[in-house]
Amino acid sequence: MAHLISLVVPVFNEEAIILDNLAAILRAASGDWYELELIAVDDGSRDRSTQQIEKAAAIDSRIRCVSFTRNFGKEAAIHAGLANAKGDAVVVLDGDLQHPPELIPQMADYWRKGLFVVEAVKADRGNERMHDGLFAYAFYALFRRFAGLDLRGHSDFKLLDREVVDTYLAFPERQRFFRGIIGWAGYPSAQIPFTVAERAGGATSWSKLKLLRYAINNITSFSSLPLKLVSLLGIGTLAFGGVIGILSLARKFEGKAIDGFTTVNLLVIIIGGAILISLGIIGHYVARLYDEVKGRPAYLIKPSKKNET
Ligand code: UDP
Ligand code: MG
């Protein structure tokens, strides 16, 4: 019996390259013991990516297009791709050929040998700029410290067995970190090193601010340690206050009331800062709770046009 492997490709504003890339991905991913299908998830592109994907689908019937009503983000696109994939295994990869599709037959071989997750890990970070490297380094170091998961070099380029996909889809969680959840799940896995290729045209759509928000959300969705740090901060401030208090009282009983303007100023600033930072951290978690409790879907699929009759 032939196996079906689904390829999930998130697409956002890639009109210049997506038509050729989808064909190139299918060509490179082919193998003789499995069939392929490709789900291109158009994440609310503002250019003509949808039309390009539909064109690709008209040329090659293995390609399907799922379009969002607006931009919901790459995580949502991966989620929708997994939800629409029918394969016995699913491979998630970028649409800009930075995740070399030539690796897919090798990933499939590992899967056939019985592994549930096959991850392509970055041997190096390609020719990404230095400050990106530093940012990523800081993120993975913090993530390791806070969440206890070492994701260094990990990417979203992964093959998942149907079992893993179904488990992933059954999670009630809405705001997800794909890489983190698969790492956390701990299924038997293999790693294949790869070199991040240069982008095959177009430009990255991740601004520094978007990356920072993504990083903070991912850390706090895997760890409540920042909340505990708030208590530590409180204890620290209290201890500091205690020392200052005793010193001030001692001075007063000695009859040497000090010129306390600077001290008071400093205390107000330090305590005010500590309280506001703590509130910010708590506020962040409350916002995350609020988002999850509302239970809105992580994405909405654009309905296909109704026939005019
Ligand atoms: N992408 C997406 N939604 C977004 C941003 C990006 O689906 O809001 C897709 C994009 O089309 C690409 C992949 O995610 O297939 C990786 O994006 P990009 O190449 O811009 O990021 P980088 O490789 O620089 O991390
Ligand atoms: Mg890219």
Side-chain angles (χ1 to χ4, degrees), residues 7-230:
L7 309 178
V8 166
V9 182
V11 178
F12 179 57
N13 291 348
E14 310 270 17
E15 63 175 354
I17 51 171
I18 200 63
L19 183 68
D20 293 338
N21 285 4
L22 292 182
I25 288 172
L26 277 169
R27 219 178 303 123
S30 298
D32 44 18
W33 58 275
Y34 55 83
E35 309 270 315
L36 289 172
E37 67 163 0
L38 189 155
I39 297 116
V41 185
D42 167 38
D43 183 10
S45 297
R46 294 176 200 109
D47 60 5
R48 298 184 53 81
S49 296
T50 323
Q51 285 86 338
Q52 293 296 323
I53 297 170
E54 273 159 8
K55 209 159 140 191
I59 298 168
D60 191 329
S61 61
R62 294 174 295 174
I63 299 176
R64 270 191 286 145
C65 180
V66 174
S67 280
F68 285 174
T69 51
R70 62 168 174 85
N71 182 239
F72 282 95
K74 188 183 177 189
E75 288 292 336
I78 292 175
H79 191 168
L82 293 176
N84 280 277
K86 300 200 180 85
D88 307 302
V90 182
V91 180
V92 176
L93 77 164
D94 284 0
D96 56 7
L97 297 186
Q98 285 194 291
H99 294 162
E102 301 77 39
L103 243 55
I104 293 170
Q106 200 185 336
M107 294 167 102
D109 283 336
Y110 275 103
W111 171 59
R112 187 152 67 157
K113 282 183 197 142
L115 288 161
F116 283 81
V117 174
V118 186
E119 306 173 294
V121 292
K122 293 169 193 158
D124 60 70
R125 288 185 53 88
N127 58 354
E128 289 172 51
R129 281 156 301 165
M130 187 56 197
H131 59 276
D132 285 338
L134 266 181
F135 183 87
Y137 178 84
F139 168 69
Y140 287 119
L142 275 177
F143 197 84
R144 201 167 79 232
R145 185 63 48 89
F146 281 47
L149 280 173
D150 189 357
L151 296 182
R152 274 174 303 178
H154 283 226
S155 69
D156 292 330
F157 188 14
K158 295 183 197 303
L159 177 145
L160 310 178
D161 183 78
R162 168 55 43 194
E163 183 89 25
V164 182
V165 175
D166 288 342
T167 308
Y168 186 83
L169 293 173
F171 282 12
E173 202 170 330
R174 252 158 290 270
Q175 284 195 37
R176 300 181 183 218
F177 181 36
F178 177 65
R179 247 170 287 174
I181 293 176
I182 299 300
W184 168 90
Y187 286 96
S189 65
Q191 263 112 31
I192 304 179
F194 79 103
T195 314
V196 182
E198 240 184 284
R199 220 177 193 287
T204 176
S205 49
W206 295 83
S207 65
K208 284 278 149 323
L209 195 68
K210 194 171 162 189
L211 269 179
L212 185 67
R213 204 181 307 132
Y214 185 62
I216 292 175
N217 281 337
N218 288 338
I219 287 173
T220 54
S221 83
F222 271 83
S223 168
S224 52
L225 192 60
L227 282 176
K228 291 165 195 145
L229 290 180
V230 169

